[in-house]
Amino acid sequence: EVQLVESGGGLVQAGGSLRLSCAASGFRFDDYAITWFRQVPGKEREGLLCIDNSDGTTDYGDSVKGRFSISSDNAKNTVFLQMTSLKPEDTALYYCAADRKVVVRGLRCDLDYQYMEYWGKGTLVTVSS
């Protein structure tokens, strides 16, 4: 079974840091791009950062550029989201998702949730003021 399992969420103070992990299994990791998303109740799911696992090419959303970073450990089939300078508005359920068809669209990775093939169930991040 294809699985993406997020971990590392929790409660953190504003200005603090947190690292999330996305552990993948059941598919060939290097054939997929991985994207981190977050969702706040009542709002559309937001693409944050993504990475092409074949060569490490990344893309960033404007809302988190300079504060969040993405990295991968291909040997462990794991992608990380490093979050710094956290703000209360960063409070959300954070998801990772996998996309294999991104190459067909002429991209290396994608921040659009509509094109993801596999999803994790999310990990909650709460940032206190």
Short mmCIF file of all heavy atoms in Angstrom, two decimals, residues 13-85:
data_model
loop_
_atom_site.label_atom_id
_atom_site.label_comp_id
_atom_site.label_asym_id
_atom_site.label_seq_id
_atom_site.Cartn_x
_atom_site.Cartn_y
_atom_site.Cartn_z
N GLN A 13 6.15 27.97 20.22
CA GLN A 13 5.96 29.39 20.43
C GLN A 13 6.30 30.17 19.17
O GLN A 13 7.14 29.76 18.37
CB GLN A 13 6.83 29.89 21.58
CG GLN A 13 6.43 29.37 22.94
CD GLN A 13 7.28 29.96 24.05
OE1 GLN A 13 8.35 30.51 23.81
NE2 GLN A 13 6.79 29.86 25.27
N ALA A 14 5.64 31.31 18.99
CA ALA A 14 5.96 32.20 17.88
C ALA A 14 7.45 32.54 17.89
O ALA A 14 8.02 32.81 18.94
CB ALA A 14 5.13 33.47 17.96
N GLY A 15 8.05 32.51 16.71
CA GLY A 15 9.47 32.74 16.59
C GLY A 15 10.32 31.48 16.67
O GLY A 15 11.51 31.52 16.37
N GLY A 16 9.70 30.40 17.05
CA GLY A 16 10.40 29.14 17.18
C GLY A 16 10.52 28.38 15.89
O GLY A 16 10.12 28.85 14.82
N SER A 17 11.06 27.17 16.00
CA SER A 17 11.31 26.33 14.84
C SER A 17 10.73 24.94 15.06
O SER A 17 10.54 24.49 16.19
CB SER A 17 12.81 26.20 14.58
OG SER A 17 13.41 27.46 14.34
N LEU A 18 10.47 24.28 13.95
CA LEU A 18 9.93 22.93 14.00
C LEU A 18 10.31 22.23 12.70
O LEU A 18 10.33 22.86 11.64
CB LEU A 18 8.42 22.97 14.15
CG LEU A 18 7.70 21.77 14.78
CD1 LEU A 18 8.17 21.56 16.21
CD2 LEU A 18 6.20 22.01 14.75
N ARG A 19 10.62 20.95 12.78
CA ARG A 19 10.91 20.17 11.59
C ARG A 19 9.90 19.04 11.44
O ARG A 19 9.73 18.22 12.35
CB ARG A 19 12.33 19.58 11.62
CG ARG A 19 12.73 18.94 10.29
CD ARG A 19 14.14 18.39 10.29
NE ARG A 19 14.23 17.11 10.98
CZ ARG A 19 15.21 16.23 10.80
NH1 ARG A 19 16.19 16.51 9.95
NH2 ARG A 19 15.23 15.10 11.48
N LEU A 20 9.26 19.01 10.29
CA LEU A 20 8.32 17.96 9.97
C LEU A 20 8.97 16.93 9.06
O LEU A 20 9.83 17.26 8.25
CB LEU A 20 7.08 18.53 9.28
CG LEU A 20 6.35 19.67 9.99
CD1 LEU A 20 5.11 20.06 9.20
CD2 LEU A 20 6.00 19.30 11.42
N SER A 21 8.53 15.70 9.18
CA SER A 21 9.03 14.62 8.34
C SER A 21 7.90 14.00 7.55
O SER A 21 6.77 13.93 8.03
CB SER A 21 9.71 13.54 9.19
OG SER A 21 10.83 14.05 9.88
N CYS A 22 8.20 13.54 6.36
CA CYS A 22 7.25 12.82 5.51
C CYS A 22 7.93 11.54 5.07
O CYS A 22 8.84 11.57 4.24
CB CYS A 22 6.86 13.68 4.31
SG CYS A 22 5.85 12.83 3.08
N ALA A 23 7.51 10.43 5.63
CA ALA A 23 8.08 9.13 5.31
C ALA A 23 7.23 8.44 4.25
O ALA A 23 6.02 8.25 4.45
CB ALA A 23 8.17 8.27 6.56
N ALA A 24 7.84 8.08 3.14
CA ALA A 24 7.13 7.49 2.02
C ALA A 24 7.43 6.00 1.91
O ALA A 24 8.54 5.56 2.17
CB ALA A 24 7.52 8.19 0.72
N SER A 25 6.44 5.25 1.47
CA SER A 25 6.61 3.83 1.21
C SER A 25 5.59 3.37 0.18
O SER A 25 4.57 4.02 -0.03
CB SER A 25 6.48 3.01 2.50
OG SER A 25 5.19 3.17 3.07
N GLY A 26 5.87 2.24 -0.47
CA GLY A 26 4.93 1.67 -1.42
C GLY A 26 5.05 2.19 -2.84
O GLY A 26 4.25 1.80 -3.70
N PHE A 27 6.01 3.06 -3.10
CA PHE A 27 6.25 3.53 -4.46
C PHE A 27 7.71 3.90 -4.60
O PHE A 27 8.42 4.05 -3.60
CB PHE A 27 5.34 4.71 -4.83
CG PHE A 27 5.51 5.93 -3.96
CD1 PHE A 27 6.40 6.93 -4.32
CD2 PHE A 27 4.77 6.08 -2.81
CE1 PHE A 27 6.55 8.06 -3.53
CE2 PHE A 27 4.91 7.20 -2.01
CZ PHE A 27 5.81 8.19 -2.38
N ARG A 28 8.14 4.04 -5.84
CA ARG A 28 9.54 4.36 -6.10
C ARG A 28 9.78 5.84 -5.83
O ARG A 28 9.37 6.70 -6.60
CB ARG A 28 9.91 3.99 -7.53
CG ARG A 28 11.42 3.97 -7.79
CD ARG A 28 11.73 3.38 -9.16
NE ARG A 28 13.16 3.19 -9.36
CZ ARG A 28 13.99 4.14 -9.79
NH1 ARG A 28 13.52 5.35 -10.07
NH2 ARG A 28 15.28 3.87 -9.94
N PHE A 29 10.44 6.11 -4.75
CA PHE A 29 10.60 7.46 -4.24
C PHE A 29 11.20 8.42 -5.28
O PHE A 29 10.72 9.55 -5.44
CB PHE A 29 11.47 7.42 -2.98
CG PHE A 29 11.55 8.71 -2.23
CD1 PHE A 29 10.48 9.17 -1.49
CD2 PHE A 29 12.72 9.46 -2.25
CE1 PHE A 29 10.56 10.35 -0.78
CE2 PHE A 29 12.81 10.64 -1.53
CZ PHE A 29 11.72 11.08 -0.80
N ASP A 30 12.21 7.98 -5.98
CA ASP A 30 12.92 8.85 -6.92
C ASP A 30 12.09 9.24 -8.14
O ASP A 30 12.46 10.18 -8.85
CB ASP A 30 14.21 8.19 -7.40
CG ASP A 30 15.26 8.07 -6.32
OD1 ASP A 30 15.10 8.68 -5.25
OD2 ASP A 30 16.26 7.35 -6.55
N ASP A 31 11.00 8.54 -8.40
CA ASP A 31 10.14 8.85 -9.54
C ASP A 31 9.12 9.94 -9.25
O ASP A 31 8.38 10.34 -10.14
CB ASP A 31 9.40 7.60 -10.02
CG ASP A 31 10.31 6.60 -10.70
OD1 ASP A 31 11.41 6.98 -11.13
OD2 ASP A 31 9.90 5.43 -10.82
N TYR A 32 9.08 10.41 -8.02
CA TYR A 32 8.05 11.35 -7.61
C TYR A 32 8.63 12.65 -7.10
O TYR A 32 9.73 12.70 -6.56
CB TYR A 32 7.19 10.74 -6.49
CG TYR A 32 6.23 9.69 -6.97
CD1 TYR A 32 6.68 8.41 -7.26
CD2 TYR A 32 4.89 9.97 -7.13
CE1 TYR A 32 5.80 7.43 -7.71
CE2 TYR A 32 4.00 9.01 -7.57
CZ TYR A 32 4.46 7.74 -7.85
OH TYR A 32 3.59 6.78 -8.29
N ALA A 33 7.86 13.71 -7.29
CA ALA A 33 8.10 14.95 -6.59
C ALA A 33 7.23 14.96 -5.34
O ALA A 33 6.15 14.39 -5.32
CB ALA A 33 7.75 16.15 -7.48
N ILE A 34 7.72 15.59 -4.29
CA ILE A 34 7.00 15.67 -3.03
C ILE A 34 6.73 17.14 -2.71
O ILE A 34 7.62 17.98 -2.84
CB ILE A 34 7.78 15.03 -1.87
CG1 ILE A 34 8.08 13.55 -2.16
CG2 ILE A 34 7.01 15.18 -0.56
CD1 ILE A 34 6.84 12.67 -2.21
N THR A 35 5.51 17.42 -2.31
CA THR A 35 5.10 18.77 -1.97
C THR A 35 4.55 18.82 -0.56
O THR A 35 3.81 17.92 -0.15
CB THR A 35 4.03 19.29 -2.95
OG1 THR A 35 4.52 19.19 -4.29
CG2 THR A 35 3.68 20.74 -2.67
N TRP A 36 4.91 19.86 0.17
CA TRP A 36 4.30 20.14 1.47
C TRP A 36 3.16 21.14 1.29
O TRP A 36 3.33 22.17 0.63
CB TRP A 36 5.32 20.70 2.45
CG TRP A 36 6.22 19.68 3.04
CD1 TRP A 36 7.48 19.37 2.67
CD2 TRP A 36 5.90 18.81 4.15
NE1 TRP A 36 7.99 18.38 3.47
CE2 TRP A 36 7.04 18.01 4.38
CE3 TRP A 36 4.77 18.64 4.96
CZ2 TRP A 36 7.09 17.05 5.39
CZ3 TRP A 36 4.82 17.68 5.96
CH2 TRP A 36 5.96 16.90 6.16
N PHE A 37 2.03 20.83 1.90
CA PHE A 37 0.87 21.70 1.91
C PHE A 37 0.45 21.97 3.35
O PHE A 37 0.84 21.26 4.27
CB PHE A 37 -0.32 21.04 1.19
CG PHE A 37 -0.10 20.76 -0.27
CD1 PHE A 37 0.50 19.60 -0.69
CD2 PHE A 37 -0.54 21.67 -1.22
CE1 PHE A 37 0.69 19.33 -2.03
CE2 PHE A 37 -0.36 21.42 -2.58
CZ PHE A 37 0.26 20.25 -2.98
N ARG A 38 -0.38 22.98 3.50
CA ARG A 38 -1.03 23.20 4.78
C ARG A 38 -2.46 23.66 4.53
O ARG A 38 -2.77 24.23 3.48
CB ARG A 38 -0.29 24.20 5.66
CG ARG A 38 -0.30 25.63 5.13
CD ARG A 38 0.53 26.52 6.03
NE ARG A 38 0.59 27.89 5.53
CZ ARG A 38 1.38 28.83 6.01
NH1 ARG A 38 2.21 28.54 7.03
NH2 ARG A 38 1.36 30.06 5.50
N GLN A 39 -3.31 23.42 5.51
CA GLN A 39 -4.69 23.81 5.38
C GLN A 39 -5.23 24.32 6.71
O GLN A 39 -5.07 23.67 7.74
CB GLN A 39 -5.56 22.66 4.87
CG GLN A 39 -6.97 23.08 4.51
CD GLN A 39 -7.68 22.07 3.64
OE1 GLN A 39 -7.39 20.88 3.70
NE2 GLN A 39 -8.59 22.54 2.81
N VAL A 40 -5.84 25.47 6.64
CA VAL A 40 -6.52 26.08 7.77
C VAL A 40 -8.02 25.92 7.55
O VAL A 40 -8.49 26.04 6.42
CB VAL A 40 -6.16 27.57 7.89
CG1 VAL A 40 -6.92 28.24 9.02
CG2 VAL A 40 -4.66 27.74 8.08
N PRO A 41 -8.78 25.64 8.60
CA PRO A 41 -10.23 25.49 8.43
C PRO A 41 -10.85 26.66 7.69
O PRO A 41 -10.59 27.82 8.01
CB PRO A 41 -10.75 25.41 9.87
CG PRO A 41 -9.61 24.79 10.62
CD PRO A 41 -8.37 25.38 9.98
N GLY A 42 -11.65 26.35 6.66
CA GLY A 42 -12.32 27.37 5.88
C GLY A 42 -11.52 27.94 4.73
O GLY A 42 -12.03 28.78 3.99
N LYS A 43 -10.27 27.50 4.58
CA LYS A 43 -9.43 28.01 3.51
C LYS A 43 -8.96 26.87 2.60
O LYS A 43 -8.94 25.71 2.99
CB LYS A 43 -8.22 28.74 4.08
CG LYS A 43 -8.55 30.01 4.85
CD LYS A 43 -7.29 30.73 5.27
CE LYS A 43 -7.61 32.02 5.99
NZ LYS A 43 -6.37 32.73 6.41
N GLU A 44 -8.59 27.23 1.39
CA GLU A 44 -8.11 26.27 0.42
C GLU A 44 -6.72 25.77 0.81
O GLU A 44 -5.92 26.50 1.39
CB GLU A 44 -8.08 26.91 -0.96
CG GLU A 44 -7.86 25.94 -2.10
CD GLU A 44 -8.06 26.60 -3.45
OE1 GLU A 44 -7.09 27.19 -3.97
OE2 GLU A 44 -9.19 26.53 -3.97
N ARG A 45 -6.45 24.53 0.49
CA ARG A 45 -5.14 23.95 0.77
C ARG A 45 -4.05 24.72 0.03
O ARG A 45 -4.16 24.98 -1.17
CB ARG A 45 -5.14 22.48 0.38
CG ARG A 45 -3.97 21.68 0.91
CD ARG A 45 -4.25 20.19 0.81
NE ARG A 45 -5.38 19.80 1.65
CZ ARG A 45 -5.76 18.54 1.86
NH1 ARG A 45 -5.10 17.55 1.29
NH2 ARG A 45 -6.80 18.28 2.62
N GLU A 46 -2.99 25.07 0.75
CA GLU A 46 -1.94 25.92 0.23
C GLU A 46 -0.65 25.14 0.02
O GLU A 46 -0.15 24.51 0.96
CB GLU A 46 -1.69 27.08 1.20
CG GLU A 46 -0.56 28.00 0.79
CD GLU A 46 -0.22 29.03 1.85
OE1 GLU A 46 -0.66 28.86 3.01
OE2 GLU A 46 0.49 30.00 1.54
N GLY A 47 -0.11 25.20 -1.19
CA GLY A 47 1.17 24.59 -1.47
C GLY A 47 2.30 25.45 -0.94
O GLY A 47 2.33 26.66 -1.19
N LEU A 48 3.23 24.85 -0.21
CA LEU A 48 4.29 25.59 0.46
C LEU A 48 5.64 25.45 -0.25
O LEU A 48 6.26 26.45 -0.64
CB LEU A 48 4.43 25.11 1.90
CG LEU A 48 3.16 25.20 2.74
CD1 LEU A 48 3.41 24.57 4.11
CD2 LEU A 48 2.72 26.64 2.88
N LEU A 49 6.10 24.24 -0.35
CA LEU A 49 7.37 23.94 -0.99
C LEU A 49 7.29 22.57 -1.63
O LEU A 49 6.49 21.73 -1.20
CB LEU A 49 8.54 23.93 0.01
CG LEU A 49 8.75 25.12 0.94
CD1 LEU A 49 8.07 24.86 2.28
CD2 LEU A 49 10.23 25.37 1.15
N CYS A 50 8.12 22.34 -2.62
CA CYS A 50 8.17 21.03 -3.24
C CYS A 50 9.59 20.71 -3.65
O CYS A 50 10.44 21.59 -3.77
CB CYS A 50 7.21 20.93 -4.43
SG CYS A 50 7.54 22.07 -5.80
N ILE A 51 9.82 19.42 -3.88
CA ILE A 51 11.15 18.97 -4.26
C ILE A 51 11.05 17.82 -5.25
O ILE A 51 10.21 16.93 -5.11
CB ILE A 51 11.97 18.56 -3.01
CG1 ILE A 51 13.42 18.23 -3.39
CG2 ILE A 51 11.32 17.39 -2.28
CD1 ILE A 51 14.34 18.15 -2.19
N ASP A 52 11.90 17.85 -6.27
CA ASP A 52 12.05 16.76 -7.21
C ASP A 52 13.08 15.80 -6.61
O ASP A 52 14.25 16.15 -6.47
CB ASP A 52 12.52 17.29 -8.56
CG ASP A 52 12.80 16.21 -9.58
OD1 ASP A 52 12.62 15.01 -9.28
OD2 ASP A 52 13.21 16.57 -10.70
N ASN A 53 12.64 14.61 -6.26
CA ASN A 53 13.52 13.68 -5.56
C ASN A 53 14.65 13.14 -6.42
O ASN A 53 15.62 12.59 -5.88
CB ASN A 53 12.70 12.51 -5.00
CG ASN A 53 11.79 12.93 -3.89
OD1 ASN A 53 12.09 13.85 -3.14
ND2 ASN A 53 10.66 12.25 -3.77
N SER A 54 14.55 13.30 -7.73
CA SER A 54 15.60 12.78 -8.60
C SER A 54 16.85 13.64 -8.59
O SER A 54 17.96 13.12 -8.77
CB SER A 54 15.09 12.63 -10.04
OG SER A 54 14.81 13.90 -10.62
N ASP A 55 16.70 14.95 -8.38
CA ASP A 55 17.87 15.82 -8.42
C ASP A 55 17.86 16.93 -7.38
O ASP A 55 18.80 17.73 -7.33
CB ASP A 55 18.07 16.42 -9.81
CG ASP A 55 16.96 17.36 -10.22
OD1 ASP A 55 16.02 17.58 -9.44
OD2 ASP A 55 17.02 17.88 -11.35
N GLY A 56 16.82 17.02 -6.57
CA GLY A 56 16.77 18.01 -5.51
C GLY A 56 16.26 19.37 -5.92
O GLY A 56 16.29 20.30 -5.10
N THR A 57 15.78 19.53 -7.14
CA THR A 57 15.20 20.80 -7.58
C THR A 57 13.99 21.16 -6.70
O THR A 57 13.16 20.30 -6.42
CB THR A 57 14.77 20.73 -9.04
OG1 THR A 57 15.91 20.47 -9.87
CG2 THR A 57 14.13 22.04 -9.49
N THR A 58 13.90 22.42 -6.30
CA THR A 58 12.85 22.84 -5.38
C THR A 58 12.09 24.04 -5.92
O THR A 58 12.56 24.76 -6.80
CB THR A 58 13.42 23.20 -4.00
OG1 THR A 58 14.37 24.27 -4.14
CG2 THR A 58 14.12 22.00 -3.38
N ASP A 59 10.92 24.27 -5.34
CA ASP A 59 10.14 25.45 -5.59
C ASP A 59 9.54 25.89 -4.27
O ASP A 59 9.34 25.07 -3.36
CB ASP A 59 9.04 25.19 -6.63
CG ASP A 59 8.44 26.46 -7.19
OD1 ASP A 59 9.04 27.55 -6.99
OD2 ASP A 59 7.38 26.39 -7.83
N TYR A 60 9.26 27.20 -4.15
CA TYR A 60 8.78 27.77 -2.90
C TYR A 60 7.58 28.66 -3.14
O TYR A 60 7.55 29.41 -4.11
CB TYR A 60 9.87 28.61 -2.23
CG TYR A 60 11.09 27.84 -1.80
CD1 TYR A 60 12.10 27.53 -2.71
CD2 TYR A 60 11.23 27.42 -0.49
CE1 TYR A 60 13.22 26.83 -2.32
CE2 TYR A 60 12.35 26.72 -0.09
CZ TYR A 60 13.34 26.42 -1.00
OH TYR A 60 14.46 25.72 -0.60
N GLY A 61 6.62 28.59 -2.24
CA GLY A 61 5.52 29.53 -2.25
C GLY A 61 5.94 30.84 -1.60
O GLY A 61 6.79 30.87 -0.71
N ASP A 62 5.34 31.94 -2.04
CA ASP A 62 5.73 33.26 -1.55
C ASP A 62 5.50 33.43 -0.06
O ASP A 62 6.23 34.17 0.60
CB ASP A 62 4.96 34.34 -2.30
CG ASP A 62 5.37 34.46 -3.75
OD1 ASP A 62 6.49 34.01 -4.10
OD2 ASP A 62 4.60 35.01 -4.55
N SER A 63 4.51 32.77 0.49
CA SER A 63 4.16 32.97 1.88
C SER A 63 5.20 32.45 2.86
O SER A 63 5.25 32.89 4.01
CB SER A 63 2.80 32.32 2.18
OG SER A 63 2.85 30.92 2.03
N VAL A 64 6.04 31.52 2.43
CA VAL A 64 7.00 30.91 3.35
C VAL A 64 8.45 31.05 2.88
O VAL A 64 9.36 30.59 3.58
CB VAL A 64 6.69 29.42 3.58
CG1 VAL A 64 5.31 29.27 4.20
CG2 VAL A 64 6.77 28.64 2.27
N LYS A 65 8.66 31.68 1.76
CA LYS A 65 10.01 31.85 1.25
C LYS A 65 10.85 32.63 2.26
O LYS A 65 10.46 33.68 2.74
CB LYS A 65 9.99 32.56 -0.09
CG LYS A 65 11.33 32.60 -0.79
CD LYS A 65 11.22 33.20 -2.18
CE LYS A 65 12.54 33.17 -2.91
NZ LYS A 65 12.42 33.75 -4.27
N GLY A 66 12.03 32.09 2.57
CA GLY A 66 12.91 32.72 3.54
C GLY A 66 12.74 32.21 4.95
O GLY A 66 13.61 32.46 5.80
N ARG A 67 11.63 31.54 5.25
CA ARG A 67 11.40 30.99 6.58
C ARG A 67 11.36 29.47 6.60
O ARG A 67 11.79 28.87 7.58
CB ARG A 67 10.09 31.52 7.16
CG ARG A 67 10.06 33.01 7.38
CD ARG A 67 8.85 33.42 8.22
NE ARG A 67 7.59 33.07 7.58
CZ ARG A 67 6.67 32.26 8.10
NH1 ARG A 67 6.87 31.71 9.28
NH2 ARG A 67 5.55 32.02 7.44
N PHE A 68 10.83 28.88 5.56
CA PHE A 68 10.71 27.42 5.49
C PHE A 68 11.67 26.88 4.43
O PHE A 68 11.97 27.55 3.44
CB PHE A 68 9.30 26.99 5.10
CG PHE A 68 8.23 27.28 6.12
CD1 PHE A 68 8.49 28.01 7.25
CD2 PHE A 68 6.95 26.79 5.91
CE1 PHE A 68 7.50 28.27 8.19
CE2 PHE A 68 5.95 27.03 6.84
CZ PHE A 68 6.22 27.78 7.98
N SER A 69 12.12 25.67 4.62
CA SER A 69 12.95 25.02 3.62
C SER A 69 12.59 23.55 3.53
O SER A 69 12.07 22.96 4.49
CB SER A 69 14.44 25.19 3.94
OG SER A 69 14.77 24.58 5.17
N ILE A 70 12.86 22.96 2.38
CA ILE A 70 12.56 21.56 2.14
C ILE A 70 13.85 20.82 1.81
O ILE A 70 14.75 21.37 1.18
CB ILE A 70 11.52 21.40 1.01
CG1 ILE A 70 11.00 19.97 0.93
CG2 ILE A 70 12.08 21.87 -0.32
CD1 ILE A 70 9.79 19.82 0.02
N SER A 71 13.94 19.60 2.25
CA SER A 71 15.08 18.76 1.95
C SER A 71 14.63 17.31 1.92
O SER A 71 13.52 16.99 2.35
CB SER A 71 16.21 18.96 2.96
OG SER A 71 15.79 18.61 4.26
N SER A 72 15.48 16.43 1.42
CA SER A 72 15.11 15.03 1.35
C SER A 72 16.30 14.14 1.69
O SER A 72 17.46 14.53 1.51
CB SER A 72 14.58 14.67 -0.04
OG SER A 72 15.57 14.85 -1.04
N ASP A 73 15.99 12.98 2.18
CA ASP A 73 16.97 11.92 2.40
C ASP A 73 16.47 10.74 1.58
O ASP A 73 15.63 9.97 2.04
CB ASP A 73 17.07 11.58 3.88
CG ASP A 73 18.16 10.56 4.17
OD1 ASP A 73 18.58 9.85 3.25
OD2 ASP A 73 18.59 10.48 5.33
N ASN A 74 16.98 10.61 0.37
CA ASN A 74 16.47 9.59 -0.54
C ASN A 74 16.72 8.17 -0.04
O ASN A 74 15.94 7.27 -0.31
CB ASN A 74 17.08 9.76 -1.93
CG ASN A 74 16.51 10.95 -2.67
OD1 ASN A 74 15.98 11.88 -2.07
ND2 ASN A 74 16.63 10.94 -3.99
N ALA A 75 17.81 7.98 0.69
CA ALA A 75 18.12 6.66 1.23
C ALA A 75 17.06 6.21 2.22
O ALA A 75 16.83 5.01 2.39
CB ALA A 75 19.49 6.66 1.88
N LYS A 76 16.42 7.16 2.89
CA LYS A 76 15.39 6.86 3.88
C LYS A 76 13.98 7.12 3.36
O LYS A 76 13.02 6.99 4.11
CB LYS A 76 15.63 7.67 5.15
CG LYS A 76 16.93 7.34 5.85
CD LYS A 76 17.09 8.15 7.12
CE LYS A 76 18.37 7.79 7.84
NZ LYS A 76 18.55 8.58 9.08
N ASN A 77 13.86 7.49 2.08
CA ASN A 77 12.57 7.81 1.48
C ASN A 77 11.79 8.82 2.32
O ASN A 77 10.59 8.66 2.57
CB ASN A 77 11.73 6.54 1.28
CG ASN A 77 12.27 5.64 0.20
OD1 ASN A 77 13.18 6.00 -0.55
ND2 ASN A 77 11.71 4.44 0.09
N THR A 78 12.48 9.85 2.73
CA THR A 78 11.90 10.83 3.63
C THR A 78 12.17 12.25 3.15
O THR A 78 13.28 12.56 2.70
CB THR A 78 12.45 10.67 5.05
OG1 THR A 78 12.16 9.35 5.52
CG2 THR A 78 11.81 11.67 6.00
N VAL A 79 11.15 13.10 3.24
CA VAL A 79 11.27 14.51 2.93
C VAL A 79 11.00 15.30 4.20
O VAL A 79 10.13 14.94 5.00
CB VAL A 79 10.30 14.92 1.82
CG1 VAL A 79 10.28 16.44 1.64
CG2 VAL A 79 10.68 14.25 0.51
N PHE A 80 11.74 16.38 4.39
CA PHE A 80 11.63 17.18 5.59
C PHE A 80 11.15 18.59 5.26
O PHE A 80 11.44 19.13 4.19
CB PHE A 80 12.98 17.28 6.30
CG PHE A 80 13.57 15.96 6.65
CD1 PHE A 80 14.54 15.38 5.84
CD2 PHE A 80 13.17 15.28 7.79
CE1 PHE A 80 15.09 14.15 6.16
CE2 PHE A 80 13.71 14.05 8.12
CZ PHE A 80 14.68 13.48 7.30
N LEU A 81 10.43 19.17 6.18
CA LEU A 81 10.05 20.57 6.12
C LEU A 81 10.61 21.25 7.36
O LEU A 81 10.15 20.97 8.47
CB LEU A 81 8.54 20.73 6.05
CG LEU A 81 8.00 22.17 6.09
CD1 LEU A 81 8.50 22.95 4.87
CD2 LEU A 81 6.49 22.18 6.14
N GLN A 82 11.60 22.11 7.18
CA GLN A 82 12.18 22.85 8.28
C GLN A 82 11.51 24.22 8.34
O GLN A 82 11.58 24.99 7.38
CB GLN A 82 13.69 23.01 8.09
CG GLN A 82 14.38 23.78 9.20
CD GLN A 82 14.34 23.05 10.52
OE1 GLN A 82 14.69 21.88 10.60
NE2 GLN A 82 13.91 23.74 11.57
N MET A 83 10.88 24.50 9.45
CA MET A 83 10.14 25.74 9.63
C MET A 83 10.81 26.57 10.72
O MET A 83 11.07 26.08 11.82
CB MET A 83 8.69 25.45 10.03
CG MET A 83 7.95 24.56 9.04
SD MET A 83 6.22 24.32 9.47
CE MET A 83 6.41 23.33 10.97
N THR A 84 11.10 27.82 10.40
CA THR A 84 11.70 28.75 11.34
C THR A 84 10.88 30.02 11.38
O THR A 84 10.04 30.28 10.53
CB THR A 84 13.15 29.07 10.96
OG1 THR A 84 13.19 29.70 9.67
CG2 THR A 84 14.00 27.81 10.91
N SER A 85 11.15 30.84 12.40
CA SER A 85 10.45 32.11 12.58
C SER A 85 8.95 31.92 12.48
O SER A 85 8.24 32.68 11.81
CB SER A 85 10.92 33.14 11.55
OG SER A 85 12.31 33.38 11.66
#
